[in-house]
Amino acid sequence: MAEILFYVLSAAALLFGLGVVLAKSPMMSVLSLLGSFFCLAVIYLLAGFQFLAAAQILVYAGAILVLFLFVIMLLNLGELGAIAERSNSFLDSTAARIGAVIAVGMGVVGLAAASRAAFQPVRVEPGKGLDGLEAIATELFGRYSLAFEAASILLLATMVAVIALAKRQRRGLKNGGRA
Amino acid sequence: MNVPSEHLLFLAAGLFAIGVLGFLIRRNVIIVLMCIELMLNAANLTFLAASRQHSTPQVANLDGAVFSIFVILVAACEAAVGLALIIALFRLKQTVEADSLSEMKG
Amino acid sequence: MGGTWLLWFVPLLPLFGAAACGLIHFATLAARKHDANAKGPSGLAPVVACAAILGSLLLSIAAFKQLAGLPADARVIESAVWPWIHVGSLQLDISLVVDPLSAVMLMVVTGVGFLIHVYSAGYMKGDPGYAKFFAYLNLFVFSMLMLVLSSSLIGLFVGWEGVGLCSYLLIGFWYEKGWPAEAGQKAFVFNRVGDASFLIGSFILIKLFGTLDLSDINAAVAGVSADPEKAWWLTVGALCLFGGCTGKSAQIPLFTWLPDAMAGPTPVSALIHAATMVTAGVYLVVRMNPVFAFDPTVLTVIGTIGALTALVGGTSAIFQRDIKKVLAYSTVSQLGYMFLGLGSGAFAAAIFHLVTHAFFKGLLFLGAGSVIHGMHDEQDMHKMGGLRRHMPKTFVTFLAGAAALSGLPLLSGFFSKDEILAHTFAHGGFYFVLWGIGIVTAAVTAYYTWRMVALTFFGKERFDHHHVHPHESPALMWVPLAVLAVLSVFGGALGLPPVFHVVHVLEHWLEPVTAPGKALLAAHGTHELSHAMEWALLGLGAAIALGFAHFGFRTYVKGVERDESVQRNRPALADFLVGAWKIDAQYYAKIVYPSKLVAFVTAVIVDQFAIDGLVNGAGGLATATGNRLKLLVDGSLKSYALWIGAGAVLLALLWMFV
Amino acid sequence: MDQLTLITFLPLVGALLVLLTPASQEKVLRAIALVTTLVVAVLGVRLYLQFDGASAALQCAVDKPWFVLPGSAIAVRYKLGVDGLSILMVVLTAVLMPTVILSTWGHIHKRVKEFMVWMLVMQTGMLGVFLATDLVLFYFFWEVSLIPLYFMVGIWGGERRLYATIKFFLYTLAGSLVMLVAVIALIYHFRTADIETLCAQAGSLELTKQLWLFAGFALAFSIKVPLLPFHTWLADAHTEAPTSGSVVLAGVLLKMGTYGLLRFGVDMFPAASLELAPLFMALGAVGIVYGAFLAMAQTDVKRLVACSSVSHLGYVVLGMFALTRAGLSGSILQMVNHGISTGLLFLLIGMIYERRHTRALDQFGGIASTMPIFAFFLVFTVLSSAALPGLNGFVGEYLILLGAFQAKPLWAIIGVLGVIFGAVYLLVATRRVLFGPVTHEENKHLEDLNVREIGLMLPMVVLAVWIGFQPTPFLDQSRGSLDRVMKKIELARGAQSAALEVQPLTTEEVVR
């Protein structure tokens, strides 16, 4: 039963992915992205990674997508056609076509690589959680403690950068009020 | 669920391809950013597939999981910075067209 | 004369003389810097120079006397050895040796040299480079003495090139006029071509004998006949050495520099291009007669080239207008005779002709010099005539010289030239042809000699009187002329033909030197002449000389009509002969011009374009690729993304399949 | 402080002194430079007198630890020593420099301080190259001596100086990089950087490896020599260099190439050099004739002399790769002779350039009548470089051509052609400069050489005449080393003939 659910969800995830790419207005893209995140979250759950499923929902769907929404709202890009693509299909310019070809190539390569890899059967029984909280914690604060601290610095740097970038420069300030 | 790992990897590859497709085709920078998020998710999926593959009922190999946590973190930072840039760009050029930015010509 | 160090003074005296005159010259230059026409000490130069030559003349006479005292087979005086180049097993030293041959040459060089020094003291008076001239003249005598006296080929080569250098300096003495410098350069280059072949000859000798000492080589030649490969190398070596001689003694391939060498002052032509330097080739062949006599073909080659040169030289002198050019071509022709003599194995006869030629040709050149001096540097015979009344002393001595040159009977020229012709005739076979050429050249010689005498001293005066006042030369100039005249007339006594039943002085004197060569030649059959045949040849020679002398004199005593008529109706022949059979023009067209072209091609096309092109090309290539790559960075995000994507796919594929 | 370190680094001390004095005091700067080079010259002559020509060993050797190559136990030592092959060049470098410094009075007037510093640094570099007996130290000095000339030509040169100096620098550098590869290979294969042991052991390598290593070294040195295909940089470098730069470049720097070929080619890889001898003799011989033709077609007198250097060094290579006793000693002597005669030629051209500020041949004519002393010196130098017997050029050339004849008669005959063409282009140049009527107005009142100019040429003239008349003491200095090298070549020749059993070489051809 779980397998069927997995296949359905993966199909949904792919469809939502396409939705993100092909949607006319950014709003539609954001929503389809949200959909794909949910499907993936459930797949993680099926694979036995409860913590990650939760993280996926909380961080990705909750934080990052909201951020996107804010930006779209802030710059009022939401209406259909406000910044509609000039031409209806995206594959007009040669660059786009090459891009498509490369994307397809990437996909094929991925599939070929995956199929070639000879995996033994998975030994994990379904239903039993792989990443219990306490197991993840021991890992995170044990072997990966250095990476964890580095991550914190990364976050700090990002915050500073974002503020510096997006702060509105009031005209007439000390350095000549550049735009 | 005892789905063979290949299928998980197929899904990841598909998602990744779509992400690249969007990344290369779309002219709207925000969509490009979203596609990057998509690609990162595909990477996450691969990590988890690997972690799942190498775990045994007694000992769970969680390296993949920890990695995907960090991937999520990086994705978050990347998205934040990307959006900040977009705002600055929008204020400068009133557009989010990718092609309009070509001042750095060689 | 002890022999050790004293012998060294024979060449060193002129060297010191040259150095002294050099200093005097620079002193006069310094003096002249203050006031333009200051004489400075240059008056001293001729005295120093003549004293130096006189010193070495006296030493030579002493050496000659001491040599004569020694028993016939041990007539050698050795000098101390100067160690020059010692490399591994190779020992090249310079030491002087006086033996009968070099004694004769010594007398000629210092004797005639001294007379010419005295003559040029008068001839060059008033010339700004007075002291420099004597410095060069002394340097020349030093080099010539080194050439004549040295006992090894390497020492001889030092003199050989030294002489070439001095002739370059002296021919180009009046370099302000421009063309003498070109003539000097031409002479030096021709000599250098000969020297190159000489060098190769010396390498072959070292390869065969391991040494360059002449006496050792002459002794070792006999041992070579056993090994055919060595014999072949010896023949090639002999021909290379002869190549050197043709360069120095102006034989067929390399003779066109001699007529141009007349650009130098006349005493130079007399000393260098008549008496001494040009005879160096003959001296070398006689000095190394076993090497040349080893293979008969070498002698035949020498004989043929000699005969042909005689013919070309003689015929080219017929229509020359410049008195010095006539004498120059005549020298070429007489040198041809000497080599013809060598070719037929008559080494003593060749030396005999060399000595007599030094006398009468030196005399003729100095006579011409005094004519030119009197006519204020006018050398064109068509503008002379009837000078016998103005210059009686020069006229008489010139007559003696001309008589000897044309081979009038009982004079030195007659005996020496006919001895060579007799030996050639005696050789038989192919040498009959050479003898024929010799006879024809004898006739031509008589013709052009008396044409010259007639045009210069007889007929009406073709110069305009108020500009030119011909006057007799001062005593300083005609005394040497007189001495040389006496020697030219009575020089024949040195080598009277056997038919006179009197000993051939020179042949007997040179016996020890020419013996090894004669022995090798005897192996290929001896040639004797019956008395009757000798008388016949003497008579024939006398008849030809007298006949053509009279014919030449008669046609030109009235004036230059004969020349003009030939010029009018047979211009091609006249031009052909005056241009020495157009050989020089051929050289310019076939060698000089193409070499300039090749130089241009190598310098501009091959070097600049090809090799340098490659080097600059490499630089250019780098900048070109740099520019093209620059275009990739066009600023658009999309193209960057594409490149990233493409790269990723490529890497993946690579990873997959490699 | 031992002798060799003193002689090598004294110029550097001089350079420091020059650096310390303020640039305004030009007189003091020049004096310091002159005094330093004079002291070095005296040391050089003392070294020459002490040197015992008969012994083949390295004399007054210095051997101090320097550093250990990382990752391996190979100790690179600070080793200096002089033997028969390098003694003449060391002394020439030491003796030539005072003349060069003295000549800068005439033509170096701007930035004198830097010029003197570069000149002294270069002298250290050059002396180091000839004295180093450790491969790494040799390579270090090889590069050090390259840089000063880059600045000298680049700053004080003529119009196209930038092009010329960059081309010269890159060309030589490319060569030395290839050499670096060979150096590294050699050091890591034999686990030592000492040249003496390498010379002994390198023969043991099998032939193909020897050939590759030899090729590596030979390429760098052929560029420096310059051998035929690599010579185009020389003409540009000389034309644009200041006079004193040209004198040093021609006098010493080119000889580093030939010295290298001798030390690292013939001495270190006798088998390989035997194998490649015909090729190098061919390049040398053709180089002679090619250089001569090149010189014939030049209109710039300095470029003409540069092309003549190509021809002269063709002789050196021809003699060296004849691999006979005469050829080798001739080529060593010819290195010194070329330094003297071409050095003098460049000095003279510099003097006429200081007066007329032009080097075009057709601007001259009839200078002999206005400058007789200059004419005397020019004719003397031309004769010395056209190998007139009695002067230095002849001894070297005769030995080289003799040696070449004993090895390969064909190339010797082509070399002899060089004697003719050499005389031609030199005499033509002299005639166009000195003789003929005075055509140009300026040539009428040129003032003749002053005492300084005559003084700086005298030592070289005296040396030229001395080598011409008495070459044996100079030849004997390299007797011991050359016997050692000849023994190695005989060994290699024996091995080679053993290898090609089919046609054994007749030993008779090689004069002992």
Side-chain angles (χ1 to χ4, degrees):
Chain A
M1 216 308 268
E3 288 70 18
I4 301 157
L5 186 60
F6 167 76
Y7 292 116
V8 164
L9 283 173
S10 53
L14 286 173
L15 278 177
F16 277 122
L18 276 176
V20 167
V21 172
L22 303 179
K24 282 281 174 304
S25 87
M27 277 309 289
M28 291 306 292
S29 306
V30 166
L31 292 180
S32 40
L33 190 61
L34 183 64
S36 74
F37 282 166
F38 271 112
C39 300
L40 279 175
V42 175
I43 289 170
Y44 292 164
L45 210 58
L46 285 178
F49 295 93
Q50 298 115 353
F51 174 76
L52 271 177
Q56 170 87 356
I57 302 288
L58 282 179
V59 173
Y60 258 116
I64 297 175
L65 261 181
V66 166
L67 211 59
F68 274 97
L69 271 177
F70 273 168
V71 167
I72 292 172
M73 292 304 173
L74 190 67
L75 311 178
N76 53 48
L77 307 171
E79 302 80 20
L80 206 61
I83 41 103
E85 308 292 305
R86 264 185 299 286
S87 61
N88 43 23
S89 110
F90 311 112
L91 302 181
D92 50 4
S93 74
T94 54
R97 271 192 209 90
I98 300 172
V101 164
I102 289 175
V104 166
M106 201 76 79
V108 164
V109 164
L111 295 177
S115 58
R116 263 182 49 189
F119 287 106
Q120 303 85 3
V122 173
R123 292 183 292 282
V124 175
E125 288 83 14
K128 189 166 170 316
L130 263 178
D131 61 352
L133 248 180
E134 145 260 351
I136 281 269
T138 45
E139 283 288 326
L140 208 55
F141 295 103
R143 284 176 46 224
Y144 291 96
S145 53
L146 174 65
F148 190 78
E149 296 313 328
S152 63
I153 297 169
L154 177 64
L155 279 173
L156 178 66
T158 316
M159 275 193 284
V160 167
V162 163
I163 291 163
L165 271 176
K167 193 159 73 64
R168 181 181 296 281
Q169 293 290 345
R170 271 191 302 289
R171 237 174 282 295
L173 262 188
K174 55 185 180 339
N175 48 24
R178 268 176 292 96
Chain B
M1 69 168 185
N2 53 13
V3 169
S5 298
E6 292 84 3
H7 295 194
L8 273 172
L9 290 181
F10 290 156
L11 174 61
L15 274 177
F16 189 79
I18 293 165
V20 166
L21 182 71
F23 174 76
L24 295 180
I25 289 174
R26 291 303 298 267
R27 271 201 293 282
N28 179 337
V29 180
I30 290 178
I31 307 296
V32 168
L33 271 180
M34 282 188 216
C35 296
I36 293 176
E37 294 307 324
L38 209 58
M39 287 199 263
L40 286 169
N41 266 327
N44 252 347
L45 190 60
T46 331
F47 276 123
L48 294 185
S51 179
R52 175 167 168 271
Q53 167 67 29
H54 294 286
S55 303
T56 60
Q58 303 76 9
V59 171
N61 176 338
L62 287 179
D63 293 342
V66 167
F67 257 80
S68 65
I69 290 171
F70 286 122
V71 165
I72 293 169
L73 179 123
V74 163
C77 301
E78 187 267 338
V81 170
L83 291 174
L85 280 173
I86 287 172
I87 292 169
L89 159 74
F90 188 80
R91 192 173 299 121
L92 195 67
K93 292 238 176 158
Q94 280 70 42
T95 163
V96 279
E97 284 297 320
D99 298 345
S100 61
L101 317 170
S102 61
E103 281 73 16
M104 290 278 288
K105 190 182 289 297
Chain C
M1 190 177 51
T4 51
W5 280 105
L6 208 52
L7 194 53
W8 273 101
F9 277 99
V10 173
L12 286 187
L13 270 177
L15 185 63
F16 298 144
C21 295
L23 291 179
I24 293 168
H25 176 61
F26 280 121
T28 26
L29 285 179
R32 199 168 291 158
K33 208 172 279 182
H34 301 305
D35 81 54
N37 38 39
K39 295 284 293 155
S42 64
L44 202 61
V47 173
V48 168
C50 295
I53 300 298
L54 188 62
S56 58
L57 175 62
L58 296 178
L59 278 175
S60 315
I61 295 170
F64 196 94
K65 253 212 250 33
Q66 184 180 356
L67 206 65
L70 293 171
D73 50 8
R75 280 209 175 110
V76 169
I77 305 174
E78 288 276 342
S79 87
V81 175
W82 168 270
W84 196 22
I85 304 177
H86 291 268
V87 164
S89 66
L90 187 66
Q91 310 283 348
L92 297 178
D93 306 330
I94 298 182
S95 67
L96 304 182
V97 72
V98 179
D99 73 352
L101 172 62
S102 56
V104 167
M105 289 303 287
L106 211 53
M107 297 314 295
V108 167
V109 169
T110 45
V112 174
F114 176 67
L115 290 176
I116 290 174
H117 268 74
V118 169
Y119 176 89
S120 43
Y123 185 83
M124 296 298 282
K125 190 176 285 299
D127 185 296
Y130 199 42
K132 186 170 73 168
F133 179 77
F134 281 101
Y136 289 157
L137 223 54
N138 263 12
L139 192 63
F140 168 79
V141 172
F142 159 71
S143 316
M144 194 61 201
L145 289 177
M146 277 305 291
L147 193 151
V148 164
L149 286 171
S150 98
S151 74
S152 73
L153 204 59
I154 198 77
L156 192 137
F157 189 68
V158 169
W160 194 269
E161 285 245 351
V163 168
L165 164 69
C166 296
S167 91
Y168 163 72
L169 293 171
L170 283 164
I171 296 169
F173 184 72
W174 288 316
Y175 50 75
E176 316 82 51
K177 280 195 273 188
W179 48 272
E182 271 146 35
Q185 174 199 310
K186 180 173 178 176
F188 195 80
V189 169
F190 270 87
N191 280 335
R192 251 310 162 80
V193 174
D195 296 350
S197 132
F198 187 101
L199 271 181
I200 296 175
S202 69
F203 295 152
I204 293 175
L205 288 183
I206 289 185
K207 184 177 157 63
L208 289 177
F209 304 107
T211 169
L212 281 182
D213 187 275
L214 293 176
S215 42
D216 302 351
I217 291 176
N218 290 348
V221 163
V224 164
S225 48
D227 165 0
E229 204 233 350
K230 271 197 171 186
W232 182 78
W233 271 112
L234 187 55
T235 315
V236 170
L239 287 175
C240 285
L241 286 176
F242 177 64
C245 304
T246 55
K248 196 62 75 181
S249 304
Q251 290 306 297
I252 271 291
L254 305 169
F255 74 101
T256 52
W257 63 271
L258 193 55
D260 294 352
M262 293 308 122
T266 315
V268 170
S269 318
L271 179 63
I272 296 180
H273 304 121
T276 46
M277 182 175 116
V278 285
T279 58
V282 179
Y283 166 74
L284 180 70
V285 172
V286 176
R287 166 60 71 198
M288 303 179 69
N289 49 56
V291 169
F292 290 93
F294 174 77
D295 184 345
T297 49
V298 171
L299 284 185
T300 333
V301 163
I302 295 178
T304 350
I305 288 194
L308 289 177
T309 318
L311 184 65
V312 167
T315 45
S316 313
I318 298 170
F319 292 112
Q320 293 296 341
R321 291 180 57 144
D322 177 342
I323 186 168
K324 285 179 74 175
K325 280 278 180 9
V326 173
L327 290 173
Y329 283 112
S330 146
T331 305
V332 171
S333 164
Q334 297 305 315
L335 285 164
Y337 264 108
M338 294 180 208
F339 276 97
L340 177 59
L342 291 175
S344 47
F347 301 116
I351 292 295
F352 179 31
H353 192 59
L354 183 149
V355 170
T356 54
H357 177 264
F359 295 148
F360 57 74
K361 190 49 70 57
L363 168 58
L364 285 173
F365 263 111
L366 294 185
S370 116
V371 163
I372 295 165
H373 189 78
M375 298 280 289
H376 305 303
D377 295 345
E378 173 54 66
Q379 299 189 332
D380 184 347
M381 290 193 287
H382 283 209
K383 295 197 180 64
M384 297 181 186
L387 293 179
R388 64 183 187 286
R389 283 184 295 280
H390 301 283
M391 307 181 182
K393 298 191 189 68
T394 315
F395 167 61
V396 166
T397 49
F398 201 88
L399 220 55
L405 171 60
S406 51
L408 298 188
L410 298 182
L411 286 160
S412 58
F414 170 72
F415 289 116
S416 57
K417 194 182 301 175
D418 281 349
E419 191 182 348
I420 290 176
L421 289 178
H423 276 279
T424 322
F425 185 83
H427 220 283
F430 169 63
Y431 281 74
F432 279 122
V433 172
L434 301 184
W435 179 75
I437 297 174
I439 287 297
V440 164
T441 319
V444 164
T445 313
Y447 179 80
Y448 68 69
T449 319
W450 285 94
R451 163 181 179 270
M452 176 172 62
V453 169
L455 284 180
T456 352
F457 291 101
F458 292 85
K460 62 182 174 14
E461 296 173 356
R462 290 183 292 279
F463 49 87
D464 69 12
H465 290 269
H466 27 77
H467 280 300
V468 174
H469 310 291
H471 53 75
E472 185 51 280
S473 308
L476 214 58
M477 288 171 71
W478 65 262
V479 164
L481 289 181
V483 171
L484 283 174
V486 165
L487 286 173
S488 315
V489 169
F490 301 108
L494 278 175
L496 298 174
V499 89
F500 281 16
H501 307 302
V502 100
V503 79
H504 187 299
V505 169
L506 209 53
E507 190 153 0
H508 170 65
W509 172 257
L510 290 176
E511 195 47 40
V513 177
T514 54
K518 279 207 162 35
L520 282 167
L521 277 176
H524 301 288
T526 57
H527 315 285
E528 277 321 318
L529 264 181
S530 66
H531 278 286
M533 186 55 78
E534 278 210 23
W535 276 111
L537 287 177
L538 279 175
L540 175 66
I544 289 175
L546 284 170
F548 278 88
H550 177 64
F551 173 45
F553 184 79
R554 193 165 46 74
T555 43
Y556 282 95
V557 81
K558 286 187 291 307
V560 289
E561 295 73 19
R562 181 78 172 75
D563 271 3
E564 270 125 17
S565 66
V566 165
Q567 196 63 32
R568 261 196 317 284
N569 39 37
R570 295 259 288 292
L573 173 69
D575 182 44
F576 177 77
L577 286 182
V578 170
W581 296 31
K582 288 282 170 275
I583 292 176
D584 203 28
Q586 288 300 336
Y587 279 161
Y588 191 81
K590 296 284 186 302
I591 297 170
V592 174
Y593 179 70
S595 74
K596 283 202 173 81
L597 199 65
V598 165
F600 175 78
V601 163
T602 32
V604 174
I605 295 167
V606 170
D607 195 70
Q608 214 71 29
F609 183 69
I611 301 177
D612 220 5
L614 284 179
V615 172
N616 296 340
L621 193 67
T623 35
T625 40
N627 289 336
R628 201 153 307 108
L629 284 179
K630 199 173 61 172
L631 301 179
L632 284 179
V633 186
D634 59 3
S636 88
L637 283 180
K638 191 143 299 302
S639 55
Y640 294 162
L642 283 185
W643 284 112
I644 297 173
V649 168
L650 198 68
L651 277 180
L653 283 177
L654 214 61
W655 172 76
M656 288 266 289
F657 295 111
V658 165
Chain D
M1 172 67 84
D2 62 281
Q3 217 182 34
L4 291 189
T5 319
L6 186 65
I7 196 170
T8 315
F9 288 99
L10 193 59
L12 213 56
V13 168
L16 286 180
L17 278 177
V18 167
L19 273 176
L20 294 182
T21 50
S24 57
Q25 316 259 359
E26 254 178 39
K27 275 260 169 301
V28 174
L29 290 174
R30 292 182 197 266
I32 294 175
L34 187 60
V35 164
T36 333
T37 44
L38 278 175
V39 170
V40 170
V42 164
L43 284 177
V45 171
R46 188 165 70 102
L47 185 69
Y48 175 85
L49 296 177
Q50 274 176 352
F51 186 78
D52 155 26
S55 94
L58 280 174
Q59 293 174 32
C60 38
V62 175
D63 187 351
K64 290 194 180 48
W66 191 6
F67 65 94
V68 178
L69 283 181
S72 73
I74 304 169
V76 172
R77 304 184 66 76
Y78 168 75
K79 272 171 76 71
L80 292 179
V82 67
D83 74 346
L85 307 182
S86 56
I87 176 66
L88 284 184
M89 280 321 296
V90 168
V91 175
L92 176 72
T93 321
V95 167
L96 195 66
M97 282 315 268
T99 315
V100 171
I101 298 283
L102 208 55
S103 74
T104 56
W105 259 259
H107 61 283
I108 298 291
H109 302 298
K110 64 180 171 70
R111 296 166 74 170
V112 174
K113 176 168 180 170
E114 287 158 56
F115 191 84
M116 291 303 163
V117 169
W118 285 126
M119 195 57 98
L120 290 170
V121 167
M122 189 148 86
Q123 182 171 21
T124 301
M126 292 188 290
L127 286 171
V129 162
F130 292 119
L131 289 174
T133 50
D134 178 285
L135 212 44
V136 174
L137 189 63
F138 169 81
Y139 191 78
F140 167 74
F141 278 120
W142 174 270
E143 293 301 333
V144 159
S145 67
L146 190 59
I147 298 154
L149 197 67
Y150 173 78
F151 287 107
M152 281 206 278
V153 176
I155 298 169
W156 289 272
E159 304 76 24
R160 277 170 63 244
R161 55 182 181 278
L162 280 184
Y163 164 75
T165 187
I166 290 171
K167 176 173 171 179
F168 147 74
F169 192 75
L170 288 186
Y171 217 142
T172 326
L173 202 60
S176 47
L177 289 184
V178 173
M179 179 166 78
L180 187 57
V181 171
V183 162
I184 293 167
L186 209 57
I187 290 180
Y188 277 90
H189 185 276
F190 285 99
R191 320 300 301 164
T192 168
D194 169 46
I195 293 179
E196 221 174 347
T197 43
L198 285 179
C199 280
Q201 294 167 3
S204 62
L205 283 169
E206 34 96 4
L207 194 54
T208 48
K209 204 172 277 187
Q210 262 196 41
L211 279 177
W212 279 110
L213 285 174
F214 176 81
F217 279 107
L219 177 69
F221 295 132
S222 322
I223 287 175
K224 194 82 174 178
V225 163
L227 215 49
L228 195 54
F230 309 113
H231 63 289
T232 47
W233 61 271
L234 185 70
D236 294 328
H238 269 308
T239 334
E240 304 307 330
T243 316
S244 40
S246 295
V247 173
V248 174
L249 176 60
V252 180
L253 277 167
L254 302 190
K255 309 314 172 340
M256 283 155 54
T258 44
Y259 165 73
L261 278 176
L262 186 61
R263 171 84 68 196
F264 298 95
V266 175
D267 189 6
M268 195 173 269
F269 305 103
S273 45
L274 202 60
E275 205 70 26
L276 291 175
L279 167 71
F280 275 90
M281 279 182 80
L283 281 179
V286 171
I288 294 170
V289 176
Y290 184 89
F293 272 115
L294 218 54
M296 262 188 245
Q298 295 304 337
T299 53
D300 175 332
V301 71
K302 203 161 190 190
R303 203 174 176 84
L304 185 142
V305 176
C307 298
S308 88
S309 298
V310 174
S311 175
H312 279 282
L313 285 161
Y315 273 110
V316 175
V317 172
L318 177 69
M320 189 181 296
F321 280 91
L323 297 180
T324 51
R325 186 64 169 71
L328 278 169
S329 44
S331 69
I332 290 181
L333 192 66
Q334 191 65 355
M335 287 196 223
V336 176
N337 295 340
H338 176 263
I340 295 168
S341 50
T342 313
L344 271 173
L345 267 179
F346 276 123
L347 284 172
L348 288 162
I349 292 169
M351 289 165 195
I352 199 76
Y353 183 76
E354 279 155 32
R355 288 168 172 70
R356 277 294 316 286
H357 297 298
T358 172
R359 291 191 299 267
L361 263 174
D362 41 36
Q363 288 295 318
F364 301 126
I367 297 207
S369 32
T370 49
M371 293 168 75
I373 300 174
F374 174 81
F376 166 77
F377 275 106
L378 186 62
V379 169
F380 175 87
T381 325
V382 158
L383 293 177
S384 138
S385 79
L388 180 83
L391 288 180
N392 58 351
F394 173 73
V395 182
E397 247 169 56
Y398 187 81
L399 284 175
I400 284 171
L401 290 173
L402 173 62
F405 191 83
Q406 289 159 357
K408 291 276 184 304
L410 168 70
W411 300 123
I413 290 163
I414 292 181
V416 167
L417 285 182
V419 166
I420 304 169
F421 296 133
V424 166
Y425 70 76
L426 282 170
L427 288 180
V428 165
T430 342
R431 178 172 55 77
R432 286 170 68 176
V433 169
L434 290 183
F435 303 128
V438 183
T439 47
H440 297 276
E441 198 38 45
E442 307 87 344
N443 291 347
K444 283 217 169 34
H445 27 71
L446 290 172
E447 38 101 6
D448 210 332
L449 302 188
N450 54 39
V451 176
R452 176 182 67 82
E453 281 162 342
I454 297 176
L456 69 89
M457 287 202 288
L458 270 192
M460 305 243 270
V461 166
V462 164
L463 208 57
V465 174
W466 186 7
I467 295 179
F469 274 102
Q470 212 184 18
T472 320
F474 297 94
L475 289 167
D476 275 357
Q477 289 292 32
S478 51
R479 187 157 38 89
S481 311
L482 280 185
D483 290 345
R484 171 174 61 79
V485 169
M486 281 309 287
K487 270 200 275 311
K488 287 176 84 169
I489 293 172
E490 287 318 310
L491 226 67
R493 209 187 285 274
Q496 186 188 34
S497 58
L500 349 126
E501 260 328 286
V502 175
Q503 22 106 352
L505 290 179
T506 51
T507 48
E508 169 266 347
E509 262 181 31
V510 175
V511 169
R512 207 34 71 237

